[in-house]
Every structure is written in structure tokens, then in C-alpha cells.
């Protein structure tokens, strides 16, 4: 039994709004029914949020995990690692974010993932007949979902997976009960990924807009978007350095697409592509970047409440994390205490007064 902590006189984000001031008690790592505790923390003038979920990061070291946790990111979804053993070595650390991972990303032979970004040669998928092998390897090492790099074959030639291979990866993943996340930064890649039946699109095209008709059709098919506006903004500003895009790339396309997704009712999850990899197109700081992402989501049309939902209750429900994402009895005490009212001013998420990870206060 650990010492119980009561956060008193605090307005609680219940997934839709802030409640009246109340007391939230943490005991043994979870939210307790108790009304009193050995220790009290004043929550006055503050708002208590569920710990934030970043639905797109890359973890290479304990420092990455520490930086993210310091900003209230208590769950991190790794979307591509050179080795699942690396992801596993970072799991289950007291006082640090809880993680899920894909392990290696599937990409085409000759793509930059294997030639420049540190993925092993075995992560290249040679064709539809090779899809079962790739997925079986991920299942064996305990991947939580499958990540596939989808590029535009007109720009990348044979270094882009074709639709038949992506579809075979989706089929094998779904047979294993795993969702498929597709990396798409161009409109053609996005169409190929959705035609192949992927579940989640991550990034947003920076070469053209998804229009309202297409957005509505994706919403009908239950496609989920993790637009990583933080990364798309960074990539667009560096466009001339990148081999995969021409001079046509523009952050405004990513904004317009995310806005169309929002209007059409596509589920949007907050994710940053946070990484400290020297091989990445742009370094994105773990943790702080999620607060940028929330603001960028508000800029394209989400209300502050919807932005908060995109980093808490919505990803928890979508990925089946039934133990978190909302503040209620029995859930993990992953909590972020901030000053002010982030349901009206999203920037208030940065005014951090306290962070708990499974009941352990870390800030
Ligand atoms: Zn990424």
C-alpha cells in the first residue's frame, strides 16, 4: 500500500468539460473512491487532466522517455524502432511514461528506412508473398500494432510498396488482431494506403489537399488520422533538403487536409513524431511538442475540448486502453495538473503544476 494523495478543490476534465471543484484521491497507483488521504495537494485555480497520450513517437533512449514524461505525456506510442528489444528495454519504468510499440516498420526494398534510417534489411518487404513473414516476425516479438511506410511510386519508383503488398500486410496484421498504421506524406500515398485497407493514416499530405468528398468517404470507412502537424510544419520548412519531395511541398496542405478530416468527422488523434534521431528529417522534442500539436489542432478547427480529447479519451478508446484516458475510480493515476482552463485556452496545458504517472508524482 502506498501513501494516498488527495488533490483538492480541483476542476476535473471529464472528457467533455471541466467539472465543479472536487477532490481526486490517488491510492496504489489508481484513482480511488476514498475522500481523504494522508497527504494533500491543492488543486485550486487548476484543472486536472488525464495524462496525455502521444500517438506517434520514436524512442531511442531513456532520455526520450524522461523528456516526454516531464511534459505530462504518460503514454507514448512508438511508431517505428530499429529493434523491438530497444522498445522493450524502456518499458515498465516507475515514474516514466508507459509505452507501446510497432518494432520495425515495413518498407520497400531500397527505401530510405533501410538505407538511411537504421531499419534492418529484414524490414523490407519484397512483395505480397513476403507480407506474412514480416507480420509473423512482429507478432513473435510482441508488436502492439504494425507500421507500414507508404510512399508515392511515381516519386519513389520501386522504393515504394505497391498496393498489393500493403493489402497483404493489412490482411496478415488483421488476422493477428493488430491494427495497421500507414506513414503517408503525399496524396497518392494516402489513396494507396486507404485502398489497401489500413486503419490509421499518420502524417498528412504536404503536396496536395484531401478534399471534403474524399474526407467524408474516409470518415465513412472509419479511417483514423494522426496528422503530426508538428512534424509536417517542420518538414515543410526544410523541404528543399528532402529527397522524397519536390519544391511543391507546403504545410498549408497538411492543415487543409486535417481541417477537411475534422469537418467530415474523421477521428483525429494527437501525435507528434517526436524523435531525437540524427537520421530523421527534423528533430521534434519529446513531450513539449505534444503541447504544440494540441495548439496546431486548434488552429485547424478543433475546439480546445476536442484537442484535449484527441490526446486522452479518444486514443485510449481507439487502442483499447481501458485503464486510462479518463479520470475515474479504478483507472491508472496518470494525471496532469495545470493552472487555468485548457478547455478555453489550450495553451494552459503548458502551465504544469504537477504530473503523476501511475500514482508516482514526477513533477
Ligand atoms: Zn514517425
Amino acid at each position: 500500500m502506498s501513501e494516498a494523495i488527495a488533490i483538492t478543490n480541483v476542476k476535473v476534465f471529464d472528457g467533455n468539460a471541466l467539472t465543479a471543484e472536487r477532490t481526486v484521491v490517488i491510492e496504489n497507483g489508481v484513482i480511488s473512491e476514498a475522500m481523504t488521504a494522508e497527504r494533500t495537494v491543492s488543486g485550486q485555480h487548476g484543472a486536472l487532466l488525464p495524462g496525455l497520450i502521444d500517438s506517434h513517437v520514436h524512442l531511442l533512449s531513456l532520455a526520450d522517455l524522461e523528456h516526454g514524461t516531464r511534459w505530462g505525456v504518460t503514454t507514448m506510442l512508438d511508431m517505428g524502432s530499429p529493434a523491438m528489444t530497444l522498445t522493450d528495454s524502456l518499458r515498465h519504468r516507475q515514474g516514466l511514461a508507459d509505452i507501446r510499440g510497432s518494432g520495425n516498420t515495413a518498407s520497400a526494398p531500397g527505401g530510405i528506412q533501410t538505407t538511411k534510417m537504421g531499419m534492418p534489411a529484414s524490414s523490407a518487404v519484397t512483395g505480397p508473398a513476403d507480407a506474412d513473414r514480416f507480420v509473423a516476425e512482429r507478432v513473435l516479438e510482441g508488436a502492439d500494432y504494425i507500421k507500414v511506410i507508404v510512399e508515392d511510386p511515381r516519386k519513389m519508383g520501386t522504393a515504394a510498396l505497391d498496393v498489393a503488398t500493403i493489402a497483404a500486410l493489412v490482411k496478415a496484421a488483421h488476422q493477428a488482431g493488430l491494427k495497421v498504421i500507414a506513414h503517408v506524406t503525399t496524396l497518392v500515398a494516402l489513396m494507396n494506403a486507404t485502398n489497401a485497407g489500413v486503419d490509421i493514416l499518420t502524417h498528412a499530405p504536404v503536396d496536395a489537399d484531401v478534399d471534403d468528398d474524399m474526407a467524408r468517404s474516409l470518415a465513412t470507412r472509419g479511417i483514423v488520422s494522426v496528422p503530426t502537424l508538428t512534424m509536417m510544419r517542420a518538414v515543410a520548412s526544410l523541404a528543399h533538403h528532402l529527397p522524397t519531395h519536390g519544391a511543391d511541398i507546403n504545410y498549408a496542405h497538411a492543415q487543409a487536409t486535417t481541417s477537411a478530416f475534422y469537418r467530415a468527422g474523421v477521428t483525429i488523434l494527437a501525435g507528434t513524431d517526436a524523435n531525437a534521431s540524427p537520421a530523421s528529417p527534423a528533430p521534434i522534442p519529446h513531450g513539449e511538442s505534444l503541447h504544440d500539436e494540441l495548439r496546431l489542432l486548434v488552429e485547424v478547427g478543433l475546439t480546445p475540448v476536442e484537442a484535449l480529447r484527441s490526446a486522452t479519451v479518444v486514443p485510449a478508446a481507439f487502442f483499447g486502453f481501458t485503464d486510462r484516458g479518463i479520470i475515474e475510480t479504478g483507472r491508472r493515476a496518470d494525471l496532469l495538473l495545470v493552472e487555468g482552463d485548457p478547455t478555453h485556452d489550450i495553451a494552459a496545458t503548458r502551465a504544469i503544476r504537477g504530473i503523476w504517472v501511475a500514482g508516482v508524482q514526477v513533477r
Side-chain angles (χ1 to χ4, degrees), residues 112-147:
I112 59 167
Q113 278 69 34
T114 50
T115 57
K116 290 205 175 66
M117 296 189 68
M119 291 289 159
S122 63
S123 65
V125 179
T126 57
D130 196 26
D132 285 352
R133 186 272 312 165
F134 176 87
V135 171
E137 285 177 6
R138 303 288 79 72
V139 169
L140 197 65
E141 61 188 15
D144 298 293
Y145 34 76
I146 298 293
K147 172 82 179 291

Short mmCIF file of all heavy atoms in Angstrom, two decimals, residues 112-147:
data_model
loop_
_atom_site.label_atom_id
_atom_site.label_comp_id
_atom_site.label_asym_id
_atom_site.label_seq_id
_atom_site.Cartn_x
_atom_site.Cartn_y
_atom_site.Cartn_z
N ILE A 112 14.39 4.58 -47.98
CA ILE A 112 15.34 5.23 -47.07
C ILE A 112 15.30 4.65 -45.65
O ILE A 112 16.23 4.82 -44.90
CB ILE A 112 15.13 6.77 -46.99
CG1 ILE A 112 13.71 7.11 -46.53
CG2 ILE A 112 15.46 7.44 -48.32
CD1 ILE A 112 13.57 8.58 -46.14
N GLN A 113 14.21 3.91 -45.31
CA GLN A 113 14.16 3.33 -43.95
C GLN A 113 15.32 2.37 -43.74
O GLN A 113 15.92 2.34 -42.68
CB GLN A 113 12.82 2.61 -43.72
CG GLN A 113 11.69 3.55 -43.33
CD GLN A 113 11.29 4.46 -44.47
OE1 GLN A 113 11.33 4.07 -45.64
NE2 GLN A 113 10.91 5.68 -44.15
N THR A 114 15.60 1.53 -44.76
CA THR A 114 16.68 0.56 -44.61
C THR A 114 18.03 1.12 -45.07
O THR A 114 19.07 0.71 -44.56
CB THR A 114 16.38 -0.75 -45.38
OG1 THR A 114 16.01 -0.40 -46.71
CG2 THR A 114 15.27 -1.53 -44.73
N THR A 115 18.03 2.07 -46.00
CA THR A 115 19.32 2.55 -46.50
C THR A 115 19.88 3.70 -45.65
O THR A 115 21.08 3.86 -45.57
CB THR A 115 19.22 3.03 -47.97
OG1 THR A 115 18.21 4.05 -48.05
CG2 THR A 115 18.87 1.89 -48.90
N LYS A 116 19.00 4.49 -45.00
CA LYS A 116 19.48 5.66 -44.26
C LYS A 116 19.03 5.75 -42.81
O LYS A 116 19.69 6.35 -41.99
CB LYS A 116 19.02 6.94 -44.97
CG LYS A 116 19.70 7.20 -46.31
CD LYS A 116 19.69 8.68 -46.65
CE LYS A 116 20.46 8.98 -47.91
NZ LYS A 116 19.80 8.37 -49.11
N MET A 117 17.84 5.17 -42.51
CA MET A 117 17.24 5.46 -41.20
C MET A 117 17.39 4.35 -40.17
O MET A 117 16.75 4.37 -39.12
CB MET A 117 15.79 5.86 -41.39
CG MET A 117 15.70 7.16 -42.19
SD MET A 117 14.07 7.89 -42.29
CE MET A 117 13.82 8.40 -40.59
N GLY A 118 18.23 3.38 -40.45
CA GLY A 118 18.60 2.44 -39.39
C GLY A 118 17.74 1.20 -39.24
O GLY A 118 17.95 0.40 -38.34
N MET A 119 16.73 1.03 -40.13
CA MET A 119 15.94 -0.21 -40.05
C MET A 119 16.75 -1.36 -40.67
O MET A 119 17.46 -1.16 -41.67
CB MET A 119 14.63 -0.06 -40.82
CG MET A 119 13.63 0.90 -40.20
SD MET A 119 12.88 0.27 -38.68
CE MET A 119 12.35 1.83 -37.95
N PRO A 120 16.62 -2.57 -40.10
CA PRO A 120 17.36 -3.70 -40.67
C PRO A 120 16.82 -4.09 -42.06
O PRO A 120 15.66 -3.81 -42.37
CB PRO A 120 17.12 -4.83 -39.66
CG PRO A 120 15.88 -4.45 -38.95
CD PRO A 120 15.82 -2.94 -38.94
N ALA A 121 17.67 -4.75 -42.84
CA ALA A 121 17.27 -5.18 -44.19
C ALA A 121 16.02 -6.06 -44.16
O ALA A 121 15.20 -6.03 -45.07
CB ALA A 121 18.43 -5.93 -44.85
N SER A 122 15.84 -6.82 -43.06
CA SER A 122 14.69 -7.73 -42.96
C SER A 122 13.36 -6.99 -42.84
O SER A 122 12.30 -7.59 -42.97
CB SER A 122 14.86 -8.66 -41.76
OG SER A 122 14.89 -7.88 -40.57
N SER A 123 13.41 -5.67 -42.60
CA SER A 123 12.15 -4.92 -42.52
C SER A 123 11.64 -4.52 -43.90
O SER A 123 10.53 -4.01 -44.03
CB SER A 123 12.30 -3.69 -41.62
OG SER A 123 13.21 -2.76 -42.18
N ALA A 124 12.46 -4.74 -44.93
CA ALA A 124 11.98 -4.51 -46.31
C ALA A 124 11.10 -5.68 -46.71
O ALA A 124 11.46 -6.84 -46.49
CB ALA A 124 13.17 -4.37 -47.25
N VAL A 125 9.96 -5.37 -47.31
CA VAL A 125 9.00 -6.40 -47.73
C VAL A 125 9.04 -6.46 -49.26
O VAL A 125 8.79 -5.46 -49.93
CB VAL A 125 7.58 -6.08 -47.21
CG1 VAL A 125 6.59 -7.15 -47.66
CG2 VAL A 125 7.61 -5.97 -45.67
N THR A 126 9.39 -7.64 -49.78
CA THR A 126 9.71 -7.74 -51.21
C THR A 126 8.48 -7.85 -52.11
O THR A 126 8.58 -7.67 -53.32
CB THR A 126 10.62 -8.95 -51.48
OG1 THR A 126 9.97 -10.12 -50.99
CG2 THR A 126 11.96 -8.79 -50.77
N GLY A 127 7.31 -8.18 -51.52
CA GLY A 127 6.10 -8.31 -52.33
C GLY A 127 5.01 -8.93 -51.48
O GLY A 127 5.25 -9.26 -50.31
N PRO A 128 3.82 -9.13 -52.07
CA PRO A 128 2.70 -9.69 -51.28
C PRO A 128 3.07 -11.02 -50.59
O PRO A 128 2.65 -11.25 -49.45
CB PRO A 128 1.61 -9.91 -52.35
CG PRO A 128 1.93 -8.93 -53.43
CD PRO A 128 3.43 -8.79 -53.45
N ALA A 129 3.89 -11.84 -51.26
CA ALA A 129 4.22 -13.16 -50.68
C ALA A 129 5.13 -13.04 -49.46
O ALA A 129 5.30 -14.02 -48.72
CB ALA A 129 4.91 -14.01 -51.75
N ASP A 130 5.72 -11.87 -49.25
CA ASP A 130 6.63 -11.67 -48.12
C ASP A 130 5.93 -11.04 -46.91
O ASP A 130 6.53 -10.87 -45.85
CB ASP A 130 7.79 -10.76 -48.60
CG ASP A 130 8.99 -10.78 -47.66
OD1 ASP A 130 9.18 -11.80 -46.95
OD2 ASP A 130 9.72 -9.77 -47.64
N ALA A 131 4.64 -10.69 -47.06
CA ALA A 131 3.93 -9.95 -46.01
C ALA A 131 3.73 -10.80 -44.75
O ALA A 131 3.93 -10.32 -43.63
CB ALA A 131 2.58 -9.46 -46.54
N ASP A 132 3.36 -12.07 -44.94
CA ASP A 132 3.12 -12.94 -43.77
C ASP A 132 4.39 -13.06 -42.93
O ASP A 132 4.35 -13.06 -41.71
CB ASP A 132 2.67 -14.34 -44.20
CG ASP A 132 1.22 -14.36 -44.67
OD1 ASP A 132 0.54 -13.32 -44.51
OD2 ASP A 132 0.79 -15.40 -45.22
N ARG A 133 5.54 -13.20 -43.60
CA ARG A 133 6.83 -13.31 -42.91
C ARG A 133 7.08 -12.07 -42.05
O ARG A 133 7.40 -12.17 -40.86
CB ARG A 133 7.94 -13.48 -43.96
CG ARG A 133 9.34 -13.75 -43.47
CD ARG A 133 10.21 -12.55 -43.17
NE ARG A 133 10.24 -11.53 -44.21
CZ ARG A 133 10.70 -10.31 -44.01
NH1 ARG A 133 11.18 -9.94 -42.84
NH2 ARG A 133 10.68 -9.42 -45.00
N PHE A 134 6.88 -10.87 -42.63
CA PHE A 134 7.13 -9.63 -41.88
C PHE A 134 6.22 -9.54 -40.66
O PHE A 134 6.68 -9.26 -39.54
CB PHE A 134 6.93 -8.39 -42.78
CG PHE A 134 7.09 -7.11 -42.03
CD1 PHE A 134 8.35 -6.53 -41.87
CD2 PHE A 134 6.00 -6.49 -41.43
CE1 PHE A 134 8.50 -5.35 -41.14
CE2 PHE A 134 6.15 -5.32 -40.68
CZ PHE A 134 7.41 -4.75 -40.55
N VAL A 135 4.93 -9.81 -40.87
CA VAL A 135 3.97 -9.68 -39.75
C VAL A 135 4.25 -10.74 -38.69
O VAL A 135 4.21 -10.45 -37.48
CB VAL A 135 2.52 -9.73 -40.26
CG1 VAL A 135 1.53 -9.81 -39.10
CG2 VAL A 135 2.22 -8.50 -41.13
N ALA A 136 4.58 -11.97 -39.11
CA ALA A 136 4.86 -13.04 -38.14
C ALA A 136 6.06 -12.66 -37.26
O ALA A 136 6.05 -12.92 -36.04
CB ALA A 136 5.14 -14.36 -38.87
N GLU A 137 7.06 -12.02 -37.86
CA GLU A 137 8.23 -11.59 -37.06
C GLU A 137 7.82 -10.56 -36.01
O GLU A 137 8.28 -10.59 -34.88
CB GLU A 137 9.31 -10.99 -37.98
CG GLU A 137 10.07 -12.05 -38.77
CD GLU A 137 11.11 -11.46 -39.73
OE1 GLU A 137 11.34 -10.21 -39.72
OE2 GLU A 137 11.67 -12.24 -40.51
N ARG A 138 6.94 -9.64 -36.42
CA ARG A 138 6.50 -8.61 -35.46
C ARG A 138 5.66 -9.24 -34.35
O ARG A 138 5.80 -8.89 -33.19
CB ARG A 138 5.66 -7.52 -36.17
CG ARG A 138 6.36 -6.81 -37.35
CD ARG A 138 7.47 -5.87 -36.92
NE ARG A 138 8.71 -6.50 -36.60
CZ ARG A 138 9.55 -7.05 -37.49
NH1 ARG A 138 9.28 -7.09 -38.77
NH2 ARG A 138 10.68 -7.61 -37.08
N VAL A 139 4.77 -10.17 -34.72
CA VAL A 139 3.93 -10.82 -33.72
C VAL A 139 4.80 -11.57 -32.71
O VAL A 139 4.60 -11.48 -31.50
CB VAL A 139 2.93 -11.79 -34.40
CG1 VAL A 139 2.24 -12.68 -33.37
CG2 VAL A 139 1.90 -10.99 -35.22
N LEU A 140 5.82 -12.26 -33.23
CA LEU A 140 6.71 -13.04 -32.37
C LEU A 140 7.42 -12.15 -31.36
O LEU A 140 7.65 -12.55 -30.21
CB LEU A 140 7.74 -13.76 -33.26
CG LEU A 140 8.49 -14.93 -32.62
CD1 LEU A 140 7.51 -16.06 -32.29
CD2 LEU A 140 9.57 -15.44 -33.58
N GLU A 141 7.79 -10.95 -31.75
CA GLU A 141 8.49 -10.08 -30.81
C GLU A 141 7.55 -9.19 -30.00
O GLU A 141 8.01 -8.35 -29.23
CB GLU A 141 9.58 -9.26 -31.51
CG GLU A 141 9.09 -8.34 -32.57
CD GLU A 141 10.24 -7.70 -33.38
OE1 GLU A 141 11.39 -8.18 -33.31
OE2 GLU A 141 9.95 -6.72 -34.09
N GLY A 142 6.23 -9.38 -30.17
CA GLY A 142 5.28 -8.69 -29.30
C GLY A 142 4.88 -7.30 -29.74
O GLY A 142 4.54 -6.46 -28.90
N ALA A 143 4.88 -7.04 -31.05
CA ALA A 143 4.46 -5.72 -31.53
C ALA A 143 3.00 -5.46 -31.14
O ALA A 143 2.17 -6.37 -31.14
CB ALA A 143 4.60 -5.64 -33.05
N ASP A 144 2.72 -4.20 -30.80
CA ASP A 144 1.36 -3.83 -30.40
C ASP A 144 0.50 -3.43 -31.60
O ASP A 144 -0.72 -3.35 -31.50
CB ASP A 144 1.42 -2.67 -29.41
CG ASP A 144 2.15 -3.07 -28.14
OD1 ASP A 144 1.62 -3.92 -27.40
OD2 ASP A 144 3.27 -2.56 -27.89
N TYR A 145 1.13 -3.15 -32.74
CA TYR A 145 0.46 -2.79 -33.99
C TYR A 145 1.52 -2.84 -35.07
O TYR A 145 2.72 -2.98 -34.77
CB TYR A 145 -0.19 -1.39 -33.92
CG TYR A 145 0.58 -0.40 -33.08
CD1 TYR A 145 1.75 0.17 -33.56
CD2 TYR A 145 0.18 -0.08 -31.79
CE1 TYR A 145 2.49 1.03 -32.78
CE2 TYR A 145 0.92 0.78 -30.99
CZ TYR A 145 2.07 1.34 -31.49
OH TYR A 145 2.83 2.19 -30.72
N ILE A 146 1.09 -2.72 -36.33
CA ILE A 146 2.02 -2.82 -37.47
C ILE A 146 2.12 -1.46 -38.14
O ILE A 146 1.09 -0.83 -38.45
CB ILE A 146 1.52 -3.88 -38.48
CG1 ILE A 146 1.45 -5.28 -37.83
CG2 ILE A 146 2.41 -3.89 -39.74
CD1 ILE A 146 2.77 -5.89 -37.44
N LYS A 147 3.34 -1.00 -38.38
CA LYS A 147 3.56 0.29 -39.05
C LYS A 147 4.11 0.02 -40.46
O LYS A 147 5.06 -0.76 -40.63
CB LYS A 147 4.58 1.11 -38.24
CG LYS A 147 5.07 2.39 -38.91
CD LYS A 147 4.10 3.55 -38.72
CE LYS A 147 4.65 4.81 -39.38
NZ LYS A 147 5.82 5.36 -38.71
#
